[in-house]
Amino acid sequence: MYGKNAWLKYGSDTKVIMDFAEGYKDFITTAKTERLAVREAVKILDAKGFKNADSVKSVKEGDKVYFINKNKNICAFVVGKKPLEDGLRILGAHIDSPRLDFKEHPLYENKGFAYADTHYYGGVKKYQWVTIPLALHGVICKKDGTKVEVNIGEDPKDPVVGISDLLIHLSADQMALPLAKAITGENLDVTLGSIPVDDKEKEAVKANVLKLLKEKYDVEEEDFISAEIEVVPAGPARDYGLDRSMVAGYGHDDRCCAYTSLMALADMDKAEYTACCILVDKEEIGSVGATGAQSLFFENTIAKLGGLMGVGHPVWLARMAMENSKMLSSDVAAGYDPLYASVGDPKNVAYLGNGLNFNKYTGSRGKSGSNDANPEYYAFVRRTLDEANINWQSSELGKVDQGGGGTIAYILGNYNMNVIDAGIAVLNMHAPMEIISKVDLYEAYLGYKAFLVSKD
Ligand code: MN
Ligand code: MN
């Protein structure tokens, strides 16, 4: 089923695709940050009989467990029949998405408006983030150890916030600038309010915003120093297109692959090789830090799993297990956009509707920084998909020297495991409203499922 439109396989019988997309729309509507994605993942896993590893003393074949890392990274397993050192079948996706983060000292007032100053996270085209309704999500951690959760702008009764742009009437100078310069990162400041408190002369509007925050969350201005407030597009994911064939939403990159990978694992009955789904943070800024793919968390977790299985040398065994593993790096691909056809090589692009997409390599300037999957392994993956009747395709990220990008594939490749990028084609990648095809979402889910139970 290589390179064929997957809708044709289903004909008029698309209910299963549409139903699956409903669950996904609920997921990304709620899971707008990595923390919220972990929370939703736990709900899905708990409902399918998985247990938090903190609550178990040992595990054996058939058991289903998950490990949570600092509320922003999660790793779930279905323990297989074969010994752990024979390797795992791993699906890895990221749950962070481009957005705007509050600075440590975000709040200020200027000429009657209270603002929050932000620093963008990940690759954003800044002009896309002005004049759209935005929501605030995150946590404020207070000195006394308590943590307050912020969620403003999703409930239809909530206010939204946003970033202003210049009226067209006075934009002669701005309109002459290149897109990269017309809106600056330092000007991505979120409007928070405009009513002054009457008993203050200086920064009276900001004082009023702080008063509201104090009433709602019992926080002081200084508490924003130890906070993680993410500014994201407000509102739910929606059907896109008159035929409802696509989903418009924020954060498809990479929560569409995270959801399908997680569901593929959650829906497993039993595993031959121990099956794993890891959802990581920080991919959009280089997979760094404690909750990113470069963290020792994953390796430590496999050692901990070995410990719970009662093996002799779990750390050594974890290394063997990783080296013998097979992995799909579940991350999105650049969908072919006929309106911007010139950036791709037409023989090597990913089409919306043609199913699960593989990138043998990513990178830029001569594949630099890329995991370049071994053809021996790619042949195994092709066979697995074809035997399961999955629609799939292969592409690369734009034509040579057009740009480029990366995924977490090379990081797991460092453990000497076989890895290839496999994900869903996205239009408008990194925009506040990204687009995917529902049939690609479903084929990805089926493809990931087939991979998890694949034989050698
Ligand atoms: Mn991605
Ligand atoms: Mn990305």
Side-chain angles (χ1 to χ4, degrees):
M1 301 304 280
Y2 175 78
K4 295 197 176 82
N5 189 297
W7 289 108
L8 300 173
K9 183 167 77 183
Y10 294 91
S12 57
D13 195 11
T14 58
K15 186 174 183 306
V16 65
I17 299 166
M18 298 299 178
D19 288 352
F20 188 81
E22 290 304 305
Y24 171 65
K25 277 158 54 190
D26 289 345
F27 177 79
I28 54 161
T29 294
T30 311
K32 290 208 179 170
T33 68
E34 50 288 326
R35 281 173 190 272
L36 295 169
V38 166
R39 184 184 294 171
E40 292 307 301
V42 167
K43 279 187 203 161
I44 289 167
L45 293 168
D46 283 347
K48 298 280 185 176
F50 285 70
K51 291 201 165 62
N52 189 321
D54 288 343
S55 69
V56 301
K57 296 261 187 310
S58 66
V59 299
K60 57 180 188 319
E61 183 192 337
D63 284 354
K64 301 176 175 186
V65 290
Y66 58 84
F67 299 74
I68 299 173
N69 181 19
K70 297 174 176 61
N71 303 311
K72 302 202 284 191
N73 174 199
I74 185 169
C75 190
F77 298 92
V78 175
V79 177
K81 191 166 147 195
K82 289 190 183 279
L84 202 55
E85 62 266 35
D86 284 9
L88 298 92
R89 295 285 190 263
I90 302 165
L91 298 170
H94 68 93
I95 47 177
D96 61 317
S97 296
R99 61 181 188 250
L100 312 175
D101 287 343
F102 270 28
K103 290 186 179 180
E104 284 164 277
H105 298 283
L107 304 177
Y108 74 96
E109 175 168 339
N110 192 356
K111 300 283 185 231
F113 291 106
Y115 292 100
D117 206 348
T118 67
H119 197 141
Y120 66 97
Y121 172 97
V124 299
K125 292 167 89 169
K126 298 175 187 91
Y127 71 86
Q128 294 177 331
W129 291 76
V130 297
T131 68
I132 57 169
L134 298 170
L136 305 176
H137 290 276
V139 292
I140 301 173
C141 298
K142 301 204 283 181
K143 271 196 297 190
D144 64 5
T146 57
K147 187 158 66 177
V148 182
E149 192 171 320
V150 174
N151 178 343
I152 303 169
E154 301 295 351
D155 187 316
K157 292 195 288 292
D158 276 359
V160 293
V161 292
I163 299 166
S164 58
D165 189 13
L166 199 52
L167 64 168
I168 182 68
H169 314 70
L170 300 178
S171 291
D173 292 345
Q174 187 199 38
M175 294 292 276
L177 293 170
L179 279 178
K181 299 219 167 119
I183 304 287
T184 64
E186 200 52 77
N187 242 13
L188 292 176
D189 293 359
V190 178
T191 306
L192 297 180
S194 62
I195 301 178
V197 286
D198 53 12
D199 58 344
K200 283 208 172 191
E201 280 181 22
K202 215 167 155 251
E203 302 210 304
V205 179
K206 177 181 144 184
N208 191 46
V209 166
L210 280 167
K211 192 170 137 238
L212 292 171
L213 291 168
K214 175 79 178 167
E215 281 164 16
K216 186 163 183 185
Y217 297 117
D218 192 25
V219 294
E220 315 288 340
E221 183 171 12
E222 197 184 296
D223 292 325
F224 280 93
I225 292 173
S226 51
E228 197 173 74
I229 306 294
E230 303 181 12
V231 186
V232 299
R238 308 275 297 269
D239 286 347
Y240 191 70
L242 301 186
D243 56 5
R244 298 181 183 273
S245 59
M246 295 167 277
V247 179
Y250 164 68
H252 287 318
D253 178 9
D254 183 35
R255 296 183 193 123
C256 65
C257 298
Y259 180 78
T260 43
S261 295
L262 187 78
M263 292 302 284
L265 184 86
D267 287 344
M268 272 186 102
D269 287 330
K270 54 185 173 203
E272 186 79 4
Y273 291 93
T274 293
C276 170
C277 173
I278 178 165
L279 305 180
V280 295
D281 179 26
K282 297 285 181 280
E283 192 275 343
E284 297 294 358
I285 58 167
S287 296
V288 289
T291 51
Q294 298 193 47
S295 165
L296 284 178
F297 167 72
F298 190 39
E299 185 184 339
N300 290 347
T301 295
I302 293 175
K304 282 183 205 163
L305 183 72
L308 289 171
M309 293 167 85
V311 300
H313 298 280
V315 175
W316 173 83
L317 179 128
R319 288 292 179 90
M320 292 305 100
M322 292 177 89
E323 181 159 304
N324 290 326
S325 288
K326 291 183 168 70
M327 176 171 181
L328 298 184
S329 162
S330 310
D331 206 346
V332 295
Y336 175 75
D337 186 339
L339 301 184
Y340 299 93
S342 67
V343 298
D345 160 17
K347 305 185 297 305
N348 290 285
V349 293
Y351 292 97
L352 262 68
N354 278 13
L356 181 59
N357 178 78
F358 289 82
N359 289 134
K360 184 175 182 295
Y361 49 85
T362 56
S364 52
R365 300 176 308 281
K367 303 188 179 181
S368 185
S370 166
N371 165 73
D372 199 350
N374 286 318
E376 291 88 345
Y377 177 53
Y378 205 168
F380 158 83
V381 172
R382 287 172 57 205
R383 184 170 72 243
T384 301
L385 294 169
D386 282 342
E387 283 174 4
N389 199 33
I390 308 297
N391 283 71
W392 65 280
Q393 56 183 327
S394 64
S395 72
E396 66 176 277
L397 184 47
K399 67 183 181 191
V400 176
D401 286 340
Q402 182 69 40
T407 66
I408 64 170
Y410 76 96
I411 299 162
L412 285 306
N414 288 344
Y415 286 101
N416 197 21
M417 69 175 74
N418 272 308
V419 191
I420 189 166
D421 283 305
I424 293 163
V426 176
L427 292 186
N428 310 348
M429 198 189 293
H430 286 202
M433 185 184 81
E434 298 178 318
I435 307 297
I436 61 165
S437 162
K438 290 181 181 178
V439 79
D440 293 340
L441 185 81
Y442 192 62
E443 292 298 295
Y445 163 71
L446 296 179
Y448 293 150
K449 264 176 103 168
F451 171 78
L452 289 176
V453 298
S454 59
K455 304 276 192 292
D456 281 318

